[in-house]
Amino acid sequence: MVRAKRSGRRSGKPDTKAEILTAARALFANEGFESVSMRRIGAEAGVDPSLIHHYFGSKDDLFLAAIELPLDPAPEIAAVLKDGGLDGAGERLMRAFVTIWDGPHGDKLLAVVRSSLSKPSMSFVLKQLFEHRIIKTVNDVLGDQVDHVPARASFIASQIFGLVVARYILKLEPLASLGVDELAETVGPTIDRYLTMPIEHLVK
Amino acid sequence: MVRAKRSGRRSGKPDTKAEILTAARALFANEGFESVSMRRIGAEAGVDPSLIHHYFGSKDDLFLAAIELPLDPAPEIAAVLKDGGLDGAGERLMRAFVTIWDGPHGDKLLAVVRSSLSKPSMSFVLKQLFEHRIIKTVNDVLGDQVDHVPARASFIASQIFGLVVARYILKLEPLASLGVDELAETVGPTIDRYLTMPIEHLVK
């Protein structure tokens, strides 16, 4: 087991993991994922950075643990976009999205969304997830076919977050009871439009 | 001043209004706006229904007071839809929506949405508002031109609630900084599509 060197005082305590998560959460919230280093989080938690790696793995993994997300959406999004490219991407994204949310992780995802929407201090969870994981993934896969990915992604996010609200929080009918195919077919074209509409004039 | 007859004990208390609102909130939440009568609310609050009318006006007004909404969206929606009909309705709705949310009532509206999204017990606020005020209004104005209004409205709501989340809660850029015209032009066609797409096969 890797032990903290800088601050031996805390290294053996059973709440070390909790202290790392608390420090990470506060720093991600206040300064953003990109600008916070593992070293910084270690200093804040009073542990050696190697201990963070030992407990949580990469900074990506630490972020997902800090926001208590039960699964990382990035690999799923990457797979869906790679397999088929831009053509019909909206329908495939919707299908993947609804399948995950209707599945066993749905309740936990809903808890994350609810807490992020309820308090201003918690909105960093979804915002960082969006900016750090989603945009980056879409850029990696479609960056050579689609311009201004972050701008387009903000419109796509508006439709996707709205679906979470309408289907899983408010349970508006018939939207809440529709099957995967029906949702993919009706909402997919909205995503496709946001992926392809002229957008240069909106990006300063 | 109208006095409670059934339960004189409480009629003169300064917290009568608060008791009426508490009773109304609980009944609207558990049984829905349509199925709850003023008489029922009066019985629950221990006051005569005429006192409710005296304090709050109609059942619609009581509902708006119970959910603490600073303004009733129904007349605005009706005006926007009437003035121009179905053609370009999405753009006009978006324009009205963004103008209200960017205006002086925006913070209060945001507080209502946040509280409604944060706890399952509060989701009735937006759900009832949607089912009772919004669908009814759209049906009144466009009911002879558009079929299956409630189903279409659930899709439109998914885009509109998502805009609230993306623009006003998470503040995703560039969506959060766009002007009214830019948002109306980009999101309006999504609303139009939901108003006109084939939908019979989704409605059981």
Side-chain angles (χ1 to χ4, degrees), chain A residues 90 94 97 130 152-168 175 183 186-194, chain B residues 152 154-167 172 175 187 189-191 193-194 197:
Chain A
M94 276 309 305
F97 165 81
F130 171 74
R152 297 183 187 285
S154 71
F155 282 94
I156 295 170
S158 79
Q159 175 63 83
I160 301 252
F161 285 133
L163 261 192
V164 172
V165 170
R167 181 175 170 94
Y168 300 101
L175 202 148
L183 273 171
T186 44
V187 180
T190 299
I191 312 288
D192 286 333
R193 196 177 138 262
Y194 292 149
Chain B
R152 297 183 187 286
S154 71
F155 282 94
I156 296 170
S158 80
Q159 176 62 83
I160 302 249
F161 285 133
L163 261 192
V164 171
V165 170
R167 181 175 170 94
L172 305 182
L175 203 148
V187 180
T190 298
I191 312 287
R193 195 177 138 263
Y194 292 149
M197 68 180 177

Side-chain angles (χ1 to χ4, degrees), chain A residues 73-85 92 137 141:
Chain A
E76 184 74 20
I77 292 172
V80 161
L81 292 179
K82 256 176 207 148
D83 176 31
R92 296 199 314 279
T137 305
V141 183

Side-chain angles (χ1 to χ4, degrees), chain A residues 13-195:
Chain A
K13 282 191 182 174
D15 53 356
T16 302
K17 283 180 82 168
E19 283 176 21
I20 293 168
L21 289 174
T22 301
R25 240 171 248 133
L27 286 167
F28 289 151
N30 296 321
E31 308 185 14
F33 178 87
E34 298 298 345
S35 56
V36 174
S37 65
M38 293 290 251
R39 183 131 65 116
R40 190 73 200 291
I41 296 166
E44 193 68 26
V47 302
D48 191 88
S50 63
L51 192 65
I52 307 183
H53 284 292
H54 172 73
Y55 279 142
F56 296 101
S58 70
K59 197 170 104 175
D60 283 354
D61 297 329
L62 174 62
F63 174 71
L64 294 170
I67 67 173
E68 296 177 22
L69 203 69
L71 80 174
D72 182 2
E76 184 74 20
I77 292 172
V80 161
L81 292 179
K82 256 176 207 148
D83 176 31
L86 197 54
D87 191 39
E91 220 174 296
R92 296 199 314 279
L93 272 176
M94 276 309 305
R95 204 176 292 275
F97 165 81
V98 176
T99 302
I100 290 174
W101 273 82
D102 284 359
H105 289 307
D107 284 347
K108 180 70 186 156
L109 288 168
L110 191 56
V112 172
V113 169
R114 268 194 212 280
S115 78
S116 188
L117 298 182
S118 62
K119 289 189 292 185
S121 63
M122 286 300 290
S123 65
F124 84 94
V125 168
L126 285 181
K127 190 171 171 140
Q128 293 271 313
L129 187 68
F130 171 74
E131 289 176 352
H132 164 59
R133 306 295 294 163
I134 315 283
I135 290 183
K136 201 166 158 293
T137 305
V138 179
N139 238 335
D140 287 349
V141 183
L142 292 182
D144 56 341
Q145 302 168 65
V146 177
D147 60 354
H148 305 298
V149 164
R152 297 183 187 285
S154 71
F155 282 94
I156 295 170
S158 79
Q159 175 63 83
I160 301 252
F161 285 133
L163 261 192
V164 172
V165 170
R167 181 175 170 94
Y168 300 101
I169 297 184
L170 303 183
K171 300 187 172 67
L172 303 183
E173 292 296 351
L175 202 148
S177 304
L178 293 181
V180 175
D181 290 341
E182 296 166 320
L183 273 171
E185 164 209 325
T186 44
V187 180
T190 299
I191 312 288
D192 286 333
R193 196 177 138 262
Y194 292 149
L195 276 172

